[in-house]
Amino acid sequence: DVVMTQSPLSLPVTLGQPASISCRSSQSLVYSDGNTYLTWFQQRPGQSPRRLIYKVSNRDSGVPDRFSGSGSGTAFTLKISRVEAEDVGVYYCMQGTHWPPTFGQGTKLEIK
Amino acid sequence: EVQLVESGGALVQPGGSLRLSCAASGFSFSSSWMSWVRQAPGKGLEWVANIKPDGSDKYCVDSVKGRFTISRDNTKNSLYLQMNSLRAEDTAVYYCARDPQFAAIDLWGQGTPVTVSS
């Protein structure tokens, strides 16, 4: 299985400051159709996960534009330009290029 | 309203069986790949299984192969997960999810808890 490794696992951030989460895969996530199936999810405390970003950098409808995704091949990043209180939660990257789909361990974002 | 509502979670003894259900509404269920994803207490997310829109193809992870079966009834807009030979390590919240393409889930249910314990 493809191993997804996130860092850091804990991310204390001051309100209004930027935050960045790294996600690395053990194999390239480029599929034969040329797309890269790397997705980012947010899970707020006590809630179900919510998709933020799909295919590396496509932001979902309703997701604030302070969230952005980037990367290629085996290295990906989720950035939050200015952290707000509602961003507290756990962030997961997930690859869908190779079966089975696999998730990173999660990065817990908290307010410092 | 577009939503997924799971049911069927319970406390069950090791070796027991359970059937989870998921009722879909507000979208074209019969055109959608559907999945089950689980989350053990205090842990991360784990893909369990998915199924093609017409039910003709099904896939599950090795850890549940031979014990869990995913199925669907498009006439009832419902997804199911039959879980047999349950183990303590199957204890988790089980989420029903819509998968538009390559596991990029865009809709999650609220989850149903399964506890395997004597």
Side-chain angles (χ1 to χ4, degrees):
Chain A
D1 297 358
V2 174
V3 177
M4 304 296 288
T5 303
Q6 290 183 225
S7 64
L9 299 184
S10 178
L11 184 56
V13 183
T14 301
L15 285 173
Q17 293 300 301
S20 179
I21 300 170
S22 169
C23 174
R24 293 184 178 271
S25 58
S26 60
Q27 299 178 36
S28 172
L29 298 187
V30 180
Y31 190 63
S32 55
D33 63 2
N35 289 310
T36 299
Y37 295 102
L38 186 284
T39 305
W40 288 97
F41 298 97
Q42 174 195 61
Q43 188 174 30
R44 291 170 171 154
Q47 295 187 12
S48 301
R50 164 201 183 195
R51 193 177 75 178
L52 298 175
I53 304 280
Y54 61 96
K55 287 196 285 187
V56 181
S57 59
N58 294 273
R59 194 169 48 246
D60 269 277
S61 173
V63 174
D65 60 7
R66 63 178 181 275
F67 289 91
S68 64
S70 63
S72 63
T74 63
F76 306 92
T77 302
L78 176 70
K79 291 184 178 178
I80 309 174
S81 58
R82 298 172 307 280
V83 169
E84 298 189 5
E86 66 178 15
D87 300 335
V88 165
V90 181
Y91 292 80
Y92 296 93
C93 62
M94 189 217 66
Q95 68 82 22
T97 298
H98 304 279
W99 179 262
T102 46
F103 293 89
Q105 319 97 301
T107 295
K108 187 173 184 178
L109 186 149
E110 61 179 25
I111 303 302
K112 200 184 293 183
Chain B
E1 181 185 2
V2 177
Q3 64 177 358
L4 299 168
V5 179
E6 303 96 331
S7 61
L11 169 64
V12 60
Q13 292 190 340
S17 297
L18 208 55
R19 189 196 198 204
L20 304 183
S21 299
C22 170
S25 59
F27 66 96
S28 178
F29 178 77
S30 60
S31 302
S32 302
W33 278 83
M34 297 297 296
S35 299
W36 288 98
V37 177
R38 67 184 179 182
Q39 186 169 35
K43 302 296 184 182
L45 300 165
E46 180 187 24
W47 202 277
V48 175
N50 66 358
I51 186 168
K52 203 174 176 180
D54 64 2
S56 60
D57 285 324
K58 312 173 184 182
Y59 304 91
C60 62
V61 294
D62 286 348
S63 60
V64 307
K65 206 165 283 185
R67 300 188 299 122
F68 290 12
T69 302
I70 187 172
S71 64
R72 65 192 297 160
D73 185 340
N74 287 345
T75 66
K76 296 181 178 179
N77 285 348
S78 293
L79 178 72
Y80 306 102
L81 185 66
Q82 178 66 44
M83 304 186 294
N84 299 328
S85 303
L86 282 161
R87 307 167 180 168
E89 54 264 35
D90 296 319
T91 294
V93 173
Y94 285 73
Y95 293 102
C96 169
R98 183 178 71 183
D99 171 9
Q101 185 182 39
F102 291 88
I105 297 171
D106 66 348
L107 181 65
W108 297 74
Q110 85 286 354
T112 188
V114 172
T115 302
V116 184
S117 174
S118 55

